Amino acid sequence: MSEQDGTGGPVVTPGELVVVTGMTGAGRSTVAKELEDLGFYVVDNLPPALLPDVVRLVDENLGTTQRIAVVVDVRSGSFFTDLRAQLAHGAHGRTASMVFLDATDEVLVRRQEAARRPHPLQGSGRLLDGVHRERTAVAELRAEAALVIDTTTLNVHQLTARVDDAFGDASTRRLKLTVISFGFKYGIPVDADFVADMRFLPNPFWQPELREGDGRDEAVAAYVYSRDGASEFLDGYVPLLDTVAQGYLREGKRFMRVAVGCTGGKHRSVAMAEEAGRRLAALGHDVRVVHRDLGRE
């Protein structure tokens, strides 16, 4: 990631710059969203002449290691000359590459018709006329692209997988999984993908010596884990979540939220969320455990 400069200090390698362009309807928006999920700072429909300003602002505010992606389409018109000039200039020290998205004319027309949108270059002519004009306008860019992706036969998940293969790393290929403890009396988290109810376990609240603690305390956690059904639940539920998480990754979904509830969100749900989080992390997932309602009682 970094080397040594002449004084023995680290030399930080600037983050890469990816320019996304190509035919209208070929999947630029999908690629931009995937790059954003991979940690890129994404700017859509950028006039290429402003590329140096974007790089400078990102360097100043987010650091030179922040990766940047800019989306340029046919609406930039004559700015394509500027884009080629900027890339030839070296993008101010960053490693720059261009991704060009393409598809057959028939597929591009069908996608535009399905979206009920005219082609930006069709004018008073047919949609196909606009596709032909655009293909002529971007022909030289396609020839210069470092990566050309033909999306004719790709669905959204297959396209995002191609982008991940090109620009992802080991950390971005892990599912980001959030385990949330909560109290039912405060409401179920509306953004949870899965909700588990721990009210089948005895409540430590009714144990005077445990009442003031919470599920992160060793004594409370030991009490919860030792109750009938606690281990059996975790032994069955965590592998189920792992199976779903693997499926999410195959489908291009990178985020999953699991809610674990009890009455007040203090004892049982907290302890079980902590243990579920530990087990899921041991299976290789990027896990964050959040206790939504601790301190509300």
Side-chain angles (χ1 to χ4, degrees), residues 13-263:
T13 303
E16 64 187 313
L17 169 69
V18 176
V19 176
V20 180
T21 189
M23 298 295 291
T24 299
R28 288 191 307 259
S29 296
T30 298
V31 171
K33 183 180 182 302
E34 177 65 10
L35 289 172
E36 190 171 41
D37 287 346
L38 292 176
F40 280 77
Y41 182 86
V42 178
V43 181
D44 197 2
N45 193 28
L46 180 77
L50 298 180
L51 188 56
D53 295 321
V54 169
V55 173
R56 176 178 55 80
L57 290 172
V58 171
D59 287 351
E60 292 175 355
N61 293 280
L62 299 176
T64 58
T65 60
Q66 172 62 54
R67 299 192 292 176
I68 303 172
V70 296
V71 182
V72 180
D73 66 19
V74 73
R75 289 173 293 178
S76 296
S78 62
F79 288 137
F80 278 136
T81 301
D82 292 334
L83 174 60
R84 297 173 67 191
Q86 291 297 336
L87 292 177
H89 185 262
H92 298 270
R94 288 175 176 261
T95 301
S97 59
M98 187 190 306
V99 177
F100 190 98
L101 300 168
D102 204 351
T104 64
D105 290 354
E106 179 184 1
V107 167
L108 293 174
V109 168
R110 188 164 65 245
R111 289 174 182 172
Q112 288 295 104
E113 288 177 341
R116 298 180 180 272
R117 298 176 60 185
H119 191 283
L121 293 184
Q122 77 178 76
S124 59
R126 302 173 303 162
L127 209 161
L128 185 60
D129 295 332
V131 171
H132 288 164
R133 292 185 185 116
E134 182 179 31
R135 195 172 292 285
T136 299
V138 301
E140 292 186 20
L141 281 179
R142 189 187 193 283
E144 296 173 5
L147 176 63
V148 176
I149 301 177
D150 186 342
T151 68
T152 299
T153 61
L154 301 181
N155 61 34
V156 170
H157 304 310
Q158 291 168 330
L159 176 54
T160 56
R162 290 284 300 275
V163 176
D164 184 68
D165 287 341
F167 300 103
D169 55 31
S171 64
T172 62
R173 295 187 180 103
R174 298 170 69 201
L175 185 81
K176 297 186 183 301
L177 200 158
T178 303
V179 182
I180 312 156
S181 71
F182 73 96
F184 278 96
K185 68 180 182 180
Y186 301 115
I188 297 173
V190 296
D191 56 351
D193 297 299
F194 294 88
V195 177
D197 187 351
M198 297 299 102
R199 291 176 296 184
F200 72 93
L201 297 171
N203 192 346
F205 178 85
W206 301 114
Q207 304 299 316
E209 70 278 12
L210 303 177
R211 181 173 300 170
E212 297 305 317
D214 63 57
R216 298 171 300 181
D217 298 330
E218 185 176 347
V220 174
Y223 176 88
V224 173
Y225 301 151
S226 67
R227 300 305 95 181
D228 289 343
S231 294
E232 291 83 354
F233 172 82
L234 289 166
D235 291 345
Y237 195 51
V238 170
L240 171 64
L241 294 175
D242 179 52
T243 298
V244 174
Q246 298 298 336
Y248 271 27
L249 283 173
R250 288 192 297 272
E251 291 299 304
K253 299 179 181 179
R254 301 183 179 278
F255 304 96
M256 180 170 156
R257 293 173 67 84
V258 177
V260 180
C262 63
T263 303

